[in-house]
């Protein structure tokens, strides 16, 4: 069964979708509203404020994306009022979809052609169609039908229906006409069935086999079949198939060309294929054709017309013997880099052709007998494209319309105009010049749909717009208006009615006509302006607007109040970082007016929430205080308190200065650099209202731990200085420098680092440290030291000079070590004995010279690896798997062992196959484990030290003992009386390959504890006394020279006073009833089992 909640969830989703559908259905978005979302045109016309952009169309132009919406944004769920207001506004037709060029296959099963057209408008448009300029009568001709705006042609035929189609959309506003759409028909006829005659040529002669294609539309693709399918003619430098003529060209016939040739054509739309009758090609027997110069048989037209952006293919092929070579050139300039040569250079292909690719092109055919050329002109044309278009426009009756549309194209486009789908002609009021339309003294009859058409011989594009002539009585959006001003201020009383044509305006105050004066002026935009207003200007002002359609009045009540005064204190204040301050803003104003406050910092509204609690407002009806806590440097600036009423707005300002640590100094420049000094300069940073006292110079290098303060000259660097010299730098080190300023408040942020500079080279001044030696092989002197860090190498070519001499000699031997990272030098001399003392010192050098040497130290030459083997090597078998080895160290002398290595291997094996084990130090004993029982081993011992290994002792032989008995003690019997347990077992008999039993080991362990007690006995019985209270586990093992044997089965014994028991039974004779049953249960729960 399915989950019970799934149907509920499905119902909920369906219900939600239904609600959404009802909401959308109840509030459809007006397409007119969407169209009017488009941004205003950037046309230079002064009428733009009342224009809107329309969709435009044309042949050869792609659909344009709508520009960003302006003024209003519309939602699919806009309010019902918005919907009704938009739908109630009438507008002319606007195309959503226009007909496109179409190719209809006559082989199609469905003999129906659909030409699409759709437009929106209010009222909803009606449609009609034109074919080649003639109206299609869908009612009279049953082959035509209209569904919405789409034209459906039944039983379409090329003879009747081929041509150019246009859709017209019409409503009460006007009519628009779509771009042309060409309807073509695709078909491919059959070749003539008449047999074709054989073509006979000499070997070496050129030949052209004609295709003579059947009737077809549109383009077809040519190929040739040789003898039979699927053997097609492969094109190369000798054979060429023209896609213009379809002919097969063979420049030089060979015997292998003899055969039957069939031309195949393929329709590019229907993919239908037909084959021509075969054309036999034979060779004449009257001789071979000699060499002759090329003759161009296939070439492109003398004038090639191509639309911008398409791919152009220019063909050129020649007959000749030898086979000609084809080359191309452009007569003026170079062939475009994007061009490609195809089919052994017989085709020049230029993709995405542009205007600059126009020009004369030449193909040249050459062989050893001569050459010939053909030249033609490539002309690139472009369809018209809009530069500027016309927009919907609303004008008053009597005004002038000025529309301009501009387009580019080659040839240059011409322009014509349509009004409501009909040609617009020049009249007394109408002027049309080069894409401009001017209509003087507009009348209501001029309203309608206009179209500007830009066209050349390759195509046309359309731009549509609606002209609406306005006619309305004056009306005001708000009435009456209440205006409050303050004494002494200028006042503007606006009068902006909606009316068409423009109304006449008059002003009255308290029912008396307003007379203009020096203080009261009527502006050109009908605004009444009062200069330096006073209480006497209070009153009721009426603006009256009239035109031929009616009149309306707007009343403005003017109140004049005393001006507001604002006092902000303190006007200027200085504080230190971390302190707090209060700015107090007091207002004197008319008590009938409410006042609001706004604080500003540097003319920007102050957002206290972003300032991390540094600001707090304290406000009453006439005061507003601003508290600034824990002031930071960024809080410095000009603070403004703006007080505002419905009458006026007043701003008072105060300046807050914040003292703090100085800002970072300016860019640090390295003026001069030596091996140990750098002369630096910088510029002063801001002192933050506290004079800078000192500067601290810091440096950083790749080997330093971050930024370090360096010594300077002078020392200290005072606050009025802008340069100093950093001293005691290390030579040949890359440094960056920065400067930090300090004032009485504290230390500021550092400057930006200078560019990295390297000090100059110098002789090294630091000698290697910790010179020492020792170890090494015999006759070697090993000298080591700690390397000098890069910081103290002072230049390139750094290395070490190792000097040494034997004690008591005068001359020093010096050796150069060229690697700066070296830490060791080895000197070998067979003449000096081990542990010879040497005086040693190590110096440094670089490209600038030699530096100091270290102190002289004494280093001994190596004593070498051990020279003698250990003596008195002995071995003892401990068990079947263990042998103990002992030896004595070699005689004292050079090559002292630091440890010993014991080798063990079986008698029948090579020493290399054995095991080796080393001591941890100078021990002289070792126990070998993990050996095989009853096996003879050879054992040798050798000493080793850090230099190497010494000679091995002579091998000694030792055999491990036989293996321990494999059988465990059996038939264990035990009797318990209280804490005493008598235990006996059958003796273990060793096999022939096992060690004889010499006794037994009894292991006793209290249950739950890991420690065991061991008792040894030579007999096969033992008496154990166990502590009272507890469970004990007992097991027995046989003991032999080869070690311990297998363990017996375990015995579990529970000790308690009064218990008597023996193997296989439990006695409860002397137990109380409760304990008896307990013992019985324990005996059943804890049976005996082997370990």
């Amino acid at each position: 069964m399915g989950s019970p909640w799934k149907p509920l969830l499905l119902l909920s989703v369906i219900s939600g979708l239904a609600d959404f559908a009802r909401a959308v259905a109840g509030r459809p978005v007006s397409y007119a509203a969407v169209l009017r979302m488009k941004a205003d045109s950037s046309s230079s016309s002064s009428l733009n404020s009342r224009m809107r952009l329309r969709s435009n169309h044309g042949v050869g132009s792609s659909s344009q994306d709508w520009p960003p919406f302006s003024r209003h944004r519309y939602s699919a769920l806009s309010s019902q009022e918005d919907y009704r207001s938009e739908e109630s506004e009438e507008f002319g037709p606007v195309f959503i979809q226009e007909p496109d060029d179409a190719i209809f296959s006559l082989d199609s099963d469905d003999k129906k052609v659909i030409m699409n057209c759709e437009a929106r408008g209010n009222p909803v448009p009606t449609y009609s169609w034109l074919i080649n300029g003639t109206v299609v009568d869908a009612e009279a001709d049953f082959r035509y039908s209209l569904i919405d705006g789409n034209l459906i042609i039944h039983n379409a035929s090329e003879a009747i229906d081929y041509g150019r189609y246009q859709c017209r959309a019409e409503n009460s506003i006007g009519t628009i006409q779509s771009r042309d759409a060409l309807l073509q028909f695709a078909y491919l006829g059959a070749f003539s069935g008449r047999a074709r005659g054989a073509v006979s040529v000499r070997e070496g002669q050129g030949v052209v086999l004609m295709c003579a294609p059947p009737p077809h539309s549109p383009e077809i693709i040519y190929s040739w079949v040789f003898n039979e399918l699927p053997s097609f003619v492969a094109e190369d430098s000798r054979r060429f198939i023209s896609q213009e003529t379809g002919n097969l060209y063979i420049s030089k016939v060979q015997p292998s060309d003899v055969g039957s040739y069939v031309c195949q054509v393929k329709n590019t739309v229907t993919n239908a294929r037909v084959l021509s009758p075969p054309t036999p090609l034979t060779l004449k027997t009257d001789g071979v054709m000699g060499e002759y110069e090329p003759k161009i048989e296939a070439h492109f037209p003398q004038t090639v017309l191509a639309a911008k952006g398409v791919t152009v293919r220019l063909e050129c092929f020649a007959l000749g013997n030898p086979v000609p070579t084809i080359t191309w050139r452009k007569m003026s300039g170079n062939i475009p880099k994007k061009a490609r040569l195809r089919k052994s250079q017989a085709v020049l292909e230029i993709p995405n052709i542009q205007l600059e690719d126009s020009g004369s092109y030449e193909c040249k055919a050459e062989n050893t007998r001569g050459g010939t050329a053909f030249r033609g002109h490539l002309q690139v044309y472009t369809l018209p494209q809009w530069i500027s278009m016309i927009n919907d426009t609303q004008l008053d009756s009597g005004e002038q319309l000025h529309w301009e549309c501009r387009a580019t194209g080659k040839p240059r486009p011409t322009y014509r105009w349509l009004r409501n789908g009909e040609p617009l002609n020049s009249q007394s009021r109408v002027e049309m010049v080069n894409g401009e339309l001017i209509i003087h003294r507009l009348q209501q009859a001029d309203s309608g749909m206009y179209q500007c058409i830009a066209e050349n011989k390759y195509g046309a594009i359309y731009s549509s717009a609606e002209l609406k002539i306005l006619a309305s009585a004056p009306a005001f959006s708000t009435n009456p208006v209440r205006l409050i001003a303050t004494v002494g201020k200028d006042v503007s009383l606006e009068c902006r009615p909606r009316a068409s044509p423009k109304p006449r305006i008059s002003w009255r105050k308290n029912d008396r006509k307003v007379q203009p004066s020096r203080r009261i002026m009527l502006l050109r935009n009908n605004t009444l302006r009062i200069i330096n207003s006073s209480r006497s200007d209070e009153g009721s002002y009426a603006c009256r607007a009239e035109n031929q359609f009616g009149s309306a009045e707007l009343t403005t009540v003017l109140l004049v109040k005393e001006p507001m005064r604002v006092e902000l204190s303190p006007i200027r204040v200085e504080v230190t970082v971390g302190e707090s301050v209060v700015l107090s803003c007091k207002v004197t104003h008319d008590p009938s007016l409410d006042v609001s406050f706004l604080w500003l910092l540097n003319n920007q509204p102050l957002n206290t929430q972003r300032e991390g609690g540094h600001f707090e407002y304290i406000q009453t009806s006439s005061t507003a205080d601003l508290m600034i806590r824990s002031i930071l440097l960024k809080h410095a600036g000009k603070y403004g308190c703006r007080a505002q009423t419905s009458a006026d707005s007043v701003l008072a300002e105060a300046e807050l200065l914040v003292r703090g640590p100085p800002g970072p100094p300016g860019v640090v420049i390295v003026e001069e650099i030596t091996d140990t000094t750098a002369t630096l300069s910088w510029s002063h940073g801001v002192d933050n209202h506290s004079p800078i006292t000192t500067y601290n110079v810091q440096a950083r290098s790749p080997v330093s731990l971050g930024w370090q303060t360096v010594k300077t000259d002078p020392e200290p660097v005072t606050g009025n200085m802008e340069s100093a010299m950093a001293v005691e730098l290390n030579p040949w080190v890359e440094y960056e420098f920065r400067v930090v300023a300090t004032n009485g408040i504290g230390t500021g942020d550092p400057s930006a680092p200078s560019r990295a500079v390297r000090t100059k080279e110098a002789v090294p001044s630091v000698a290697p440290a910790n010179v020492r030696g020792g170890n090494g092989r015999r006759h070697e002197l090993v000298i080591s030291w700690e390397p000098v860090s890069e910081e103290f190498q002072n230049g390139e070519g750094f290395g070490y000079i190792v000097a040494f001499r034997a004690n008591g000699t005068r001359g020093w031997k010096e050796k150069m070590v060229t690697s700066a990272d070296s830490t060791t030098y080895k000197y070998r001399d067979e003449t000096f004995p081990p542990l010879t003392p040497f005086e040693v010192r190590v110096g440094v050098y670089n490209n600038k010279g030699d530096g100091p040497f270290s102190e002289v130290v004494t280093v001994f030459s190596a004593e070498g690896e051990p020279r003698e083997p250990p003596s008195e090597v002995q071995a003892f078998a401990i068990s079947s798997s263990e042998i103990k080895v002992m030896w004595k160290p070699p005689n004292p002398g050079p090559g002292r062992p630091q440890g010993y290595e014991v080798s063990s291997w079986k008698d029948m094996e090579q020493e290399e196959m054995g095991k080796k084990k080393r001591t941890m130090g100078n021990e002289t004993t070792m126990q070998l484990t993990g050996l095989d029982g009853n096996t003879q081993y050879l054992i040798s011992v050798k000493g080793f030290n850090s230099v190497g290994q010494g000679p091995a002792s002579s091998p000694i032989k030792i055999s491990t003992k036989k293996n321990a008995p494999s059988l465990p003690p059996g038939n264990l019997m035990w009797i318990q009386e209280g804490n005493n347990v008598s235990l006996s077992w059958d003796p273990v008999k060793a096999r022939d390959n096992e060690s004889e039993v010499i006794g037994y080991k009894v292991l006793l362990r209290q249950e739950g504890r890991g420690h065991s007690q061991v008792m040894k006995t030579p007999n096969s019985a033992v008496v154990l006394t166990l502590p009272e209270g507890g469970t004990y586990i007992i097991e027995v093992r046989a003991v032999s020279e080869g070690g311990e044997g297998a363990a017996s089965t375990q015995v579990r014994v529970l000790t308690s006073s009064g218990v008597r028991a023996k193997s296989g039974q439990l006695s409860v004779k002397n137990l109380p009833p409760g304990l008896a049953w307990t013992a019985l249960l324990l005996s059943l729960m804890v049976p005996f089992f082997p370990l």
Side-chain angles (χ1 to χ4, degrees):
M1 292 182 64
S3 300
W5 53 265
K6 289 186 178 178
L8 297 176
L9 177 60
L10 180 60
L11 288 174
S12 175
V13 172
I14 293 172
S15 175
L17 291 175
D19 292 342
F20 179 81
R22 285 193 295 272
V24 174
R27 298 172 176 174
V29 176
S30 163
Y31 194 77
V34 176
L35 290 176
R36 285 157 178 76
M37 295 178 195
K38 301 184 179 183
D40 290 341
S41 168
S42 58
S43 169
S44 60
S45 171
S46 61
L47 307 175
N48 278 354
S49 61
R50 288 185 282 175
M51 292 182 176
R52 66 178 186 270
L53 188 66
R54 273 187 179 262
S55 169
N56 294 277
H57 47 280
V59 176
S61 62
S62 60
S63 61
Q64 300 176 353
D65 293 336
W66 287 358
F69 298 161
S70 62
R71 296 204 184 112
H72 304 289
R73 296 195 175 271
Y74 293 82
S75 165
L77 299 177
S78 58
S79 69
Q80 193 73 18
E81 289 185 7
D82 291 342
Y83 162 65
R84 290 197 185 106
S85 64
E86 279 297 336
E87 283 301 310
S88 64
E89 180 183 351
E90 294 186 347
F91 63 95
V94 179
F95 279 119
I96 300 173
Q97 183 179 18
E98 297 182 70
D100 292 313
D101 292 348
I103 301 177
F104 180 74
S105 174
L106 291 176
D107 297 334
S108 173
D109 294 334
D110 185 6
K111 298 295 185 181
K112 183 169 61 178
V113 178
I114 300 177
M115 303 295 286
N116 295 310
C117 180
E118 184 181 2
R120 290 298 302 265
N122 190 17
V124 175
T126 59
Y127 301 91
S128 60
W129 283 80
L130 303 175
I131 175 172
N132 298 323
T134 302
V135 175
V136 174
D137 191 348
E139 295 183 357
D141 192 336
F142 69 91
R143 293 191 318 109
Y144 299 108
S145 61
L146 279 174
I147 299 180
D148 294 329
N150 300 328
L151 175 65
I152 302 175
I153 307 173
H154 303 273
N155 298 320
S157 69
E158 183 183 26
I160 302 174
D161 299 313
Y162 174 88
R164 296 192 174 275
Y165 289 73
Q166 284 182 286
C167 172
R168 292 165 63 103
E170 179 179 1
N171 67 7
S172 59
I173 303 298
T175 304
I176 57 173
Q177 189 167 289
S178 75
R179 65 191 175 207
D180 289 352
L182 178 63
L183 174 60
Q184 303 179 74
F185 291 83
Y187 59 88
L188 179 60
F191 280 97
S192 168
R194 189 169 52 191
R196 299 191 177 190
V199 177
S200 183
V201 295
R202 293 187 181 94
E203 181 182 347
Q205 187 178 354
V207 70
V208 180
L209 302 182
M210 313 297 288
C211 179
H216 61 271
S217 175
E219 296 83 4
I220 55 178
I221 298 174
Y222 299 91
S223 58
W224 283 79
V225 179
F226 181 55
N227 289 331
E228 61 182 10
L229 286 170
S231 177
F232 286 91
V233 173
E235 297 179 81
D236 51 26
S237 61
R238 198 171 58 83
R239 292 172 294 190
F240 176 70
I241 301 172
S242 171
Q243 294 301 320
E244 297 294 333
T245 65
N247 299 335
L248 171 62
Y249 301 83
I250 304 177
S251 64
K252 174 186 173 184
V253 174
Q254 298 175 354
S256 60
D257 296 323
V258 173
S260 177
Y261 290 83
V262 174
C263 179
Q264 175 182 275
V265 295
K266 173 186 172 183
N267 190 294
T268 56
V269 174
T270 65
N271 288 325
R273 294 176 172 86
V274 293
L275 298 172
S276 72
T279 301
L281 177 64
T282 63
L283 286 181
K284 294 181 178 179
T285 59
D286 57 353
V288 177
M289 183 76 172
E291 294 184 352
Y292 64 95
E293 66 182 10
K295 179 183 179 183
I296 295 177
E297 287 289 347
H299 59 74
F300 57 97
Q302 283 202 326
T303 300
V304 178
L305 296 176
K308 177 183 175 183
V310 303
T311 296
V312 173
R313 298 174 79 256
L314 304 180
E315 293 183 349
C316 184
F317 191 79
L319 310 184
N321 186 8
V323 176
T325 300
I326 306 295
T327 57
W328 293 84
R329 68 168 177 155
K330 187 179 181 185
M331 304 309 295
S332 57
N334 298 321
I335 290 179
K337 291 183 178 180
K338 59 189 175 184
R340 298 290 182 268
L341 291 172
R342 310 279 188 199
K343 297 189 177 183
S344 299
Q345 304 190 105
V347 175
L348 175 65
E349 185 177 280
I350 309 174
N352 189 24
I353 199 81
Q354 298 297 312
L355 292 175
E356 59 268 21
D357 300 326
S358 300
S360 294
Y361 288 80
E362 179 187 82
C363 75
K364 192 171 186 179
E366 295 177 293
N367 62 12
T368 56
R369 304 297 294 179
T372 184
F374 176 81
R375 187 179 300 173
H377 188 77
L378 173 61
Q379 182 177 325
V380 180
Y381 65 86
T382 61
L383 302 174
Q385 289 184 321
W386 285 121
I387 299 174
S388 63
M389 299 175 288
I390 59 176
N391 301 318
D392 289 357
T393 302
Q394 298 180 0
L395 291 174
D396 293 333
S397 176
E399 288 189 324
Q400 175 180 294
L401 169 70
H402 183 190
W403 265 332
E404 181 179 17
C405 58
R406 284 282 180 264
T408 61
K410 187 177 180 181
R412 180 179 299 173
T414 59
Y415 302 90
R416 56 189 176 94
W417 291 82
L418 302 179
R419 180 171 66 190
N420 293 327
E422 300 298 331
L424 182 65
N425 300 315
S426 296
Q427 304 170 8
S428 59
R429 294 185 303 109
V430 179
E431 299 179 30
M432 293 180 291
V433 181
N434 290 331
E436 288 188 79
L437 171 64
I438 301 174
I439 304 179
H440 303 277
R441 302 182 304 280
L442 286 169
Q443 302 172 2
Q444 192 67 36
D446 296 322
S447 297
M449 299 301 300
Y450 288 75
Q451 290 178 284
C452 174
I453 306 173
E455 56 189 349
N456 60 20
K457 64 180 181 179
Y458 300 110
I461 53 177
Y462 291 63
S463 177
S464 305
E466 177 186 341
L467 174 62
K468 182 176 291 186
I469 307 301
L470 303 176
S472 64
F476 292 95
S477 57
T478 58
N479 198 3
V481 175
R482 185 170 180 265
L483 183 63
I484 302 176
T486 57
V487 175
K489 298 290 185 180
D490 296 346
V491 181
S492 294
L493 307 182
E494 293 185 344
C495 181
R496 296 183 179 179
R498 296 189 308 276
S500 181
K502 292 181 180 179
R504 299 179 299 279
I505 303 296
S506 60
W507 280 91
R508 300 192 318 278
K509 176 186 176 184
N510 299 331
D511 295 329
R512 295 180 60 184
K513 185 177 180 180
V514 174
Q515 298 296 332
S517 64
R518 295 182 60 184
R519 202 172 62 82
I520 300 177
M521 296 177 288
L522 183 59
L523 304 183
R524 303 182 81 180
N525 64 356
N526 300 321
T527 296
L528 186 65
R529 187 166 182 79
I530 303 173
I531 308 299
N532 191 18
S533 62
S534 64
R535 291 275 190 176
S536 63
D537 294 320
E538 289 187 331
S540 177
Y541 292 79
C543 164
R544 181 176 179 80
E546 295 180 89
N547 67 10
Q548 63 264 40
F549 298 106
S551 63
E553 281 192 357
L554 169 67
T555 300
T556 302
V557 178
L558 175 62
L559 301 176
V560 180
K561 304 290 185 179
E562 290 297 323
M564 178 171 53
R565 296 190 302 276
V566 178
E567 179 183 356
L568 180 59
S569 63
I571 296 177
R572 188 176 188 277
V573 60
E574 293 187 14
V575 294
T576 302
V577 169
E579 295 180 347
S580 300
V581 70
V582 175
L583 300 179
S584 181
C585 183
K586 297 181 180 180
V587 177
T588 303
H589 64 98
D590 189 304
S592 65
L593 301 177
D594 294 329
V595 63
S596 60
F597 295 91
L598 175 66
W599 283 93
L600 301 99
L601 174 57
N602 297 324
N603 298 319
Q604 296 298 320
L606 187 60
N607 189 334
T608 58
Q609 294 181 349
R610 294 184 181 177
E611 294 298 332
H614 289 279
F615 294 89
E616 181 182 355
Y617 291 149
I618 305 172
Q619 184 173 333
T620 65
S621 60
S622 59
T623 63
D625 293 343
L626 176 65
M627 176 176 286
I628 312 173
R629 297 189 180 93
S630 303
I631 287 177
L632 305 176
L633 285 172
K634 67 177 182 178
H635 296 151
K638 184 179 289 186
Y639 285 79
C641 174
R642 182 181 296 280
Q644 188 164 353
T645 66
S646 56
D648 61 351
S649 175
V650 180
L651 175 67
E653 293 182 320
E655 185 176 10
L656 176 63
L657 300 178
V658 180
R659 295 186 299 268
V667 177
V668 177
I669 299 174
V670 181
E671 304 281 358
E672 184 180 357
I673 193 81
T674 69
D675 56 348
T676 59
T677 66
T679 302
L680 311 174
S681 66
W682 60 89
S683 59
H684 290 301
V686 294
D687 62 7
N688 289 325
H689 310 293
S690 178
I692 296 173
T693 55
T694 59
Y695 287 103
N696 181 25
V697 178
Q698 298 177 346
R700 177 175 64 180
S701 72
V703 295
S704 66
L705 296 175
W707 290 95
Q708 303 290 328
T709 299
V710 296
K711 292 184 178 181
T712 58
D713 182 17
E715 183 77 33
V717 181
T718 59
N720 59 352
M721 300 178 65
E722 290 186 316
S723 65
M725 179 185 291
V727 299
E728 298 185 16
L729 304 176
N730 292 320
W732 199 240
V733 173
E734 190 176 75
Y735 286 100
E736 293 175 283
F737 298 94
R738 71 181 187 183
V739 178
V740 183
T742 302
N743 62 12
I745 308 299
T747 298
D749 293 330
S751 68
S754 72
R755 63 181 178 88
V757 294
R758 186 182 287 275
T759 51
K760 297 186 180 303
E761 293 180 286
V763 173
S765 57
V766 176
N770 196 18
V771 177
R772 59 199 183 279
N775 297 328
R777 295 186 176 276
R778 190 179 303 169
H779 307 302
E780 281 187 348
L781 174 63
V782 180
I783 303 169
S784 59
W785 60 89
E786 290 183 2
V788 176
S789 69
E790 184 181 354
E791 185 178 6
F792 300 106
Q793 292 176 6
N794 291 5
E796 290 187 316
F798 181 84
Y800 300 95
I801 304 171
V802 181
F804 54 91
R805 64 184 177 188
N807 279 9
T809 61
R810 299 184 62 182
W812 290 89
K813 287 187 178 181
E814 293 187 350
K815 300 294 182 181
M816 307 290 285
V817 179
T818 59
S819 173
D821 298 326
S822 295
T823 60
T824 303
Y825 174 75
K826 294 181 179 180
Y827 176 74
R828 183 173 181 83
D829 189 337
E830 301 286 346
T831 62
F832 56 76
L835 299 177
T836 300
F838 283 84
E839 291 181 310
V840 174
R841 62 181 184 178
V842 181
V844 289
Y845 72 93
N846 63 15
N847 290 346
K848 299 294 287 185
D850 295 346
F853 277 92
S854 66
E855 296 291 332
V856 177
V857 297
T858 299
V859 175
F860 290 87
S861 64
E863 56 180 336
E865 66 274 7
R867 299 184 184 181
E868 297 180 5
S871 60
E872 300 184 25
V873 178
Q874 302 179 61
F876 305 95
I878 300 176
S879 66
S880 61
S881 61
E882 296 173 311
I883 293 176
K884 184 174 183 180
V885 184
M886 297 183 297
W887 62 88
K888 287 187 177 180
N891 296 323
R896 292 166 296 181
Q898 296 174 347
Y900 296 92
E901 182 179 273
V902 178
S903 299
S904 60
W905 65 98
K906 294 180 181 179
D907 189 18
M908 302 302 293
E909 295 178 346
Q910 298 293 325
E911 181 179 356
E912 292 74 15
M913 298 179 63
K915 296 182 180 179
K916 293 178 172 57
K917 186 175 180 181
R918 288 192 169 191
T919 63
M920 298 298 293
N922 275 319
E923 296 91 345
T924 57
T925 62
M926 178 183 291
Q927 188 163 317
L928 304 178
T929 59
L931 305 176
D932 294 341
N934 196 24
T935 303
Q936 187 176 60
Y937 283 89
L938 282 76
I939 296 174
S940 68
V941 183
K942 65 177 71 172
F944 68 86
N945 58 18
S946 60
V947 179
Q949 294 180 344
S953 65
S954 300
I956 62 172
K957 294 184 178 182
I958 182 71
S959 296
T960 54
K961 296 182 181 297
K962 291 182 179 181
N963 290 330
S966 57
L967 295 174
N971 195 22
L972 264 67
M973 304 292 292
W974 58 275
I975 299 175
Q976 178 186 2
E977 292 188 5
N979 293 341
N980 294 325
V981 176
S982 297
L983 186 66
S984 65
W985 57 88
D986 292 341
V988 176
K989 293 183 179 181
R991 296 189 175 99
D992 293 340
N993 63 342
E994 295 176 346
S995 302
E996 291 296 329
V997 176
I998 59 175
Y1000 297 91
K1001 183 184 291 185
V1002 180
L1003 290 86
L1004 175 65
R1005 175 171 58 85
Q1006 187 173 4
E1007 190 171 49
R1009 296 186 182 181
H1011 177 68
S1012 299
Q1013 299 179 25
V1014 179
M1015 176 181 291
K1016 295 181 180 180
T1017 176
N1019 304 314
S1020 58
V1022 69
V1023 177
L1024 303 175
T1025 301
L1026 307 180
E1028 185 175 335
T1031 301
Y1032 288 86
I1033 299 173
I1034 304 170
E1035 67 180 23
V1036 182
R1037 294 174 183 266
V1039 179
S1040 70
E1041 288 184 344
E1044 296 180 6
S1048 67
T1049 57
Q1050 291 185 344
V1051 174
R1052 246 172 231 277
V1053 178
L1054 175 64
T1055 61
S1056 180
S1057 59
V1059 174
R1060 294 186 64 195
K1062 65 179 180 179
S1063 304
Q1065 70 177 50
L1066 180 64
S1067 174
V1068 296
K1069 176 180 179 182
N1070 298 324
L1071 293 178
L1075 288 178
W1077 286 110
T1078 300
L1080 178 60
L1081 288 173
L1082 284 173
S1083 67
L1084 295 174
M1085 294 174 64
V1086 189
F1088 304 137
F1089 59 89
L1091 185 64

